[in-house]
Amino acid sequence: MSAFLSAHGVGVVIEGRAILADVDLEVRPGEVVALVGPNGAGKSTLLGVLSGDLGPSEGHVELGGRRITKHSAKDLARQRGVQLQKQGLAFGFRVEEVVRMGRSPWYRTPAADRDEEVVEESLGRADVAGLAERLFPTLSGGEQARTSFARLLAQETPLMFLDEPTAALDIRHQEQLLGVVREAAEAGAAVVVVLHDLSLAAAYADRVCVLADGRLRADGAPADVLTGELLTEVYGHPVDVLHHDGNLVVVPVRARGERPAATPTATTDEEASCSAV
């Protein structure tokens, strides 16, 4: 299947520093592509360029065979949805209202007839239906992240971008969110997600792209890309990649020093008699 989204020779320079350099990447309908790498590798910057929110210093991005800069803001909003790391809502909207914002690109279109159905469904899929009347600023970080995910789902775009969506989530909600992402891809969506948890990337992504120092170091199936040798080099820390029950599990190698035995302390006769009482 041909690429729905493609980056060609993308580079980004900010304040004289190269954040990205010579990145080529393709994303096809029906696949989840995970961007991984150490802090400062350029993952969020690349996500911003791919989504059209940040213009590259070099190269270009194409969406549906057309340069992304040629798409209008309205067209982009109907083609791709973005969930950012930080939730930029300063006002006290209720959760249901936040999710409903995802339907704004479809205002005054036939798709708007489904607003109520889509909002309700999105609240349920993100497990925030029980929070619908809560004010967004009163939510925990994880609840806010799930609400933003529900808004992304409500937007119903064929291309989805998520920047560290699981960072504030507990284990159950990490698995649930990425399970829904996986379902969206299987239904035909193209998904690009930034993840720090390499085991999650291995479990849910069709392809993993490893970035380091602003360059794409590897792009391929998780089993081909997530190797101890490459990850140890990229992260600057020894890493083991294990196979457990058919899954890849990435773990850091930790030094196992022996803990010193507790040293008994001397007690006075008075202390001993008090402790015996």
Side-chain angles (χ1 to χ4, degrees), residues 254-262:
R254 299 186 178 99
R256 294 184 177 277
E258 291 185 3
R259 293 185 180 181

Side-chain angles (χ1 to χ4, degrees), residues 140-168:
S140 70
E143 290 169 338
Q144 289 186 354
R146 283 154 45 206
T147 299
S148 294
F149 180 55
R151 177 172 62 177
L152 175 67
L153 293 175
Q155 197 171 336
E156 288 195 313
T157 56
L159 176 60
M160 299 165 62
F161 294 98
L162 302 93
D163 195 355
E164 296 189 37
T166 61

Side-chain angles (χ1 to χ4, degrees), residues 5-250:
L5 178 77
S6 57
H8 304 272
V10 164
V12 174
V13 177
I14 299 177
E15 296 182 351
R17 176 172 173 262
I19 309 299
L20 290 175
D22 198 28
V23 174
D24 294 313
L25 180 65
E26 292 187 344
V27 183
R28 298 172 179 80
E31 69 176 354
V32 177
V33 177
L35 305 181
V36 305
N39 293 336
K43 303 181 297 296
S44 294
T45 300
L46 179 56
L47 196 80
V49 172
L50 293 174
S51 67
D53 289 335
L54 176 65
S57 306
E58 299 176 345
H60 68 278
V61 173
E62 294 182 1
L63 174 61
R66 182 182 176 199
R67 291 207 179 196
I68 201 166
T69 53
K70 300 298 184 181
H71 290 263
S72 67
K74 180 181 290 186
D75 182 48
L76 275 181
R78 293 176 180 175
Q79 290 289 313
R80 62 96 178 102
V82 183
Q83 180 181 348
L84 299 174
Q85 287 185 50
K86 298 179 181 178
Q87 320 306 322
L89 290 174
F91 301 100
F93 293 104
R94 298 189 183 280
V95 166
E96 187 270 340
E97 294 172 324
V98 172
V99 177
R100 190 174 296 277
M101 292 176 188
R103 299 300 299 164
S104 58
W106 307 108
Y107 180 62
R108 290 185 176 177
T109 72
D113 294 340
R114 299 179 56 249
D115 282 359
E116 296 300 326
E117 173 191 349
V118 173
V119 169
E120 182 177 356
E121 180 181 280
S122 300
L123 286 164
R125 292 173 72 195
D127 195 24
V128 290
L131 305 175
E133 297 303 315
R134 290 274 302 278
L135 295 176
F136 187 82
T138 70
L139 302 178
S140 70
E143 290 169 338
Q144 289 186 354
R146 283 154 45 206
T147 299
S148 294
F149 180 55
R151 177 172 62 177
L152 175 67
L153 293 175
Q155 197 171 336
E156 288 195 313
T157 56
L159 176 60
M160 299 165 62
F161 294 98
L162 302 93
D163 195 355
E164 296 189 37
T166 61
L169 302 185
D170 56 47
I171 291 174
R172 177 171 73 90
H173 286 108
Q174 287 179 353
E175 297 290 332
Q176 181 185 44
L177 183 146
L178 290 174
V180 173
V181 165
R182 182 75 258 160
E183 290 172 359
E186 290 170 358
V191 183
V192 182
V193 55
V194 174
L195 292 171
H196 270 300
D197 189 318
L198 300 177
S199 296
L200 284 176
Y204 287 98
D206 297 291
R207 285 169 43 218
V208 175
C209 297
V210 180
L211 286 102
D213 299 321
R215 293 184 177 274
L216 189 58
R217 292 292 306 277
D219 176 1
D224 297 331
V225 169
L226 298 177
T227 66
E229 182 180 5
L230 176 62
L231 297 178
T232 294
E233 177 190 346
V234 165
Y235 284 90
H237 185 91
V239 171
D240 276 341
V241 180
L242 311 175
H243 294 264
H244 174 69
D245 196 25
N247 296 309
L248 288 180
V249 181
V250 181

